Amino acid sequence: QALVMAGGGGTRLWPLSRTDRPKQLLRLLGDRSLFQMALDRLQPWLPVDHIHVAAPADLVPALRAQAPSLASEAFLVEPSPKGTAAVIALAALQLSRTHPESVMLCLTADHHIGNPDRLRALLEAAVDVAETGSLVTLGIPATSPDTGYGYIERGESIGVFRGVEAFRARAFKEKPNLELAEKYVGDGLHTWNSGMFVWRVDRVLEAFRRWMPDLASILSEIEPALGTPSESEVLESVWPRIRPETIDFGLMERADNVAVLPATDLMWADIGSWDRLHELRHPDADGNVLETRAWLAIDSKRSMVLARDREERQKPKLVALLGVEDLVIVDTHDALLVCRRDRAADVRLLVDRLRELGMDTYLVWEP
């Protein structure tokens, strides 16, 4: 049973990503949205009724519109965002009622995976590891000292599963400074944390009861109402008491039975900033990515321009670059972003400031 986690605001991709139209709903790498691409990777492999989607209530209508093949009951609706730990625990609780012996795949809706066949092979191996009782995560081989990712340190080998060697996870380490990141890449023992997990439903619920007892206690109040007419009412009543927490901090860093599979050849990328998106595009000879109807660039290199109008104008707006390097320029109907590529990860600071100034209308796509 697959759970595609489709929440999140994508604030670092503002002004294209907004609260009512976050990055997973956007077509950033072709004709399909990131969310649709995540489903595409699963549907040739899993029956459609084995695919579930978790998202906040306000995003569910847009997600349903992009996934007409999924039944309405496939959507697990969060009354409000409480972090990945709560939504995964709730999904596991629901699956324990309908599919108590199942293995649960927790996957993302906003990552790029260039080799989906490899992903499916890795997930099959991860299912075999999970059947032994381990909580399994996929680790991405670290190719650079990136300070924007969490890292997983691997320990001893626990065996080979379908040709993939699995290791005991020794430690989870959140976004390090550059010196530590360089050390992690150099020692060959660390992988990036992909945010993808595989486990038996009964084992992960047992882990929640042991390592996050407060969350497990609150969800135990919801369990009797699952599948009954009072489910929504009980969920709305109990959910606000949950303390927000990520699955990494709340569970994976504490559990003592975590396994990691190095996810080689996956061609994976977390599209978390404009700079990372630039790396996935096909730049011209000067390293520029220019996605706009009319542009002119002279003596300009390694920059990205995205200009998207709501309406096609007879005379498109011309974007002209002269003597600039390493810029991100994103032009929408109501906002224009200009920043250096090396500051792209800090775009969320602009979003925070807009909220502080009461300029929230610029955080939604629809005024």
Side-chain angles (χ1 to χ4, degrees):
Q1 302 288 325
L3 177 70
V4 178
M5 294 176 285
T11 55
R12 288 181 293 179
L13 289 178
W14 182 87
L16 206 55
S17 178
R18 309 288 181 102
T19 55
D20 57 338
R21 202 186 70 152
K23 65 177 179 178
Q24 58 269 29
L25 289 169
L26 303 181
R27 295 187 297 272
L28 297 174
L29 293 169
D31 296 331
R32 303 278 283 170
S33 72
L34 297 181
F35 170 62
Q36 290 172 319
M37 292 168 70
L39 298 181
D40 293 343
R41 292 192 285 268
L42 293 175
Q43 288 180 323
W45 178 58
L46 282 182
V48 69
D49 60 350
H50 286 227
I51 300 173
H52 314 270
V53 177
D58 56 348
L59 292 184
V60 169
L63 292 166
R64 280 179 174 161
Q66 290 197 0
S69 64
L70 297 185
S72 59
E73 56 267 24
F75 289 84
L76 188 158
V77 182
E78 305 170 63
S80 61
K82 292 290 185 178
T84 50
V87 71
I88 288 173
L90 178 60
L93 194 65
Q94 291 187 333
L95 286 175
S96 72
R97 182 179 62 87
T98 57
H99 302 83
E101 298 182 355
S102 63
V103 173
M104 179 180 180
L105 317 176
C106 297
L107 305 171
T108 59
D110 57 359
H111 290 176
H112 167 73
I113 295 177
N115 189 350
D117 290 335
R118 178 60 174 166
L119 173 66
R120 291 187 282 269
L122 286 165
L123 290 175
E124 288 174 353
V127 167
D128 287 354
V129 181
E131 290 284 17
T132 70
S134 292
L135 308 179
V136 186
T137 183
L138 300 186
I140 307 299
T143 57
S144 64
D146 198 307
T147 60
Y149 293 140
Y151 288 73
I152 305 170
E153 181 183 358
R154 74 168 186 255
E156 70 278 7
S157 173
I158 59 175
V160 177
F161 300 78
R162 300 188 186 230
V164 180
E165 189 169 15
F167 299 86
R168 188 62 58 203
R170 182 172 293 159
F172 280 72
K173 301 173 181 180
E174 276 309 302
K175 302 170 183 177
N177 59 36
L178 182 58
E179 182 180 356
L180 275 177
E182 290 174 342
K183 178 182 177 182
Y184 293 163
V185 173
D187 65 19
L189 296 176
H190 289 77
T191 54
W192 289 330
N193 185 356
S194 71
M196 293 185 280
F197 310 99
V198 180
W199 37 53
R200 277 172 32 188
V201 166
D202 60 340
R203 283 304 182 98
V204 75
L205 287 175
E206 178 184 310
F208 277 117
R209 287 190 290 268
R210 179 179 179 186
W211 301 108
M212 300 188 70
D214 291 345
L215 173 61
S217 176
I218 292 173
L219 290 180
S220 69
E221 300 177 37
I222 300 172
E223 187 173 10
L226 293 178
T228 73
S230 63
E231 178 179 334
S232 295
E233 180 182 352
V234 172
L235 190 59
E236 291 280 354
S237 173
V238 172
W239 196 257
R241 288 163 39 206
I242 294 176
R243 181 173 61 86
E245 188 60 276
T246 66
I247 192 73
D248 301 287
F249 279 116
L251 187 62
M252 301 303 283
E253 291 188 7
R254 303 174 184 177
D256 53 9
N257 61 333
V258 177
V260 57
L261 268 64
T264 56
D265 304 320
L266 200 55
M267 300 171 63
W268 172 93
D270 177 4
I271 308 175
S273 68
W274 291 117
D275 187 44
R276 292 210 176 119
L277 184 62
H278 180 279
E279 295 169 359
L280 294 173
R281 296 300 187 92
H282 300 289
D284 61 19
D286 292 318
N288 295 316
V289 173
L290 304 166
E291 185 180 305
T292 180
R293 292 173 62 203
W295 58 269
L296 178 63
I298 298 175
D299 297 331
S300 298
K301 298 178 180 179
R302 300 179 303 278
S303 293
M304 181 167 67
V305 174
L306 272 71
R308 297 185 178 180
D309 287 329
R310 274 181 150 184
E311 301 175 357
E312 292 289 319
R313 308 177 189 179
Q314 186 173 2
K315 179 183 178 182
K317 181 190 295 185
L318 173 67
V319 179
L321 306 182
L322 176 61
V324 298
E325 297 180 355
D326 301 303
L327 289 183
V328 172
I329 301 170
V330 183
D331 188 19
T332 69
H333 65 289
D334 64 345
L336 171 65
L337 168 71
V338 181
C339 75
R340 298 199 318 259
R341 281 182 54 194
D342 63 359
R343 294 295 304 276
D346 293 329
V347 168
R348 65 177 180 270
L349 299 178
L350 293 172
V351 173
D352 293 341
R353 183 61 58 86
L354 287 171
R355 288 197 179 102
E356 292 171 5
L357 296 175
M359 301 173 69
D360 297 66
T361 57
Y362 291 100
L363 303 180
V364 294
W365 191 254
E366 296 293 341

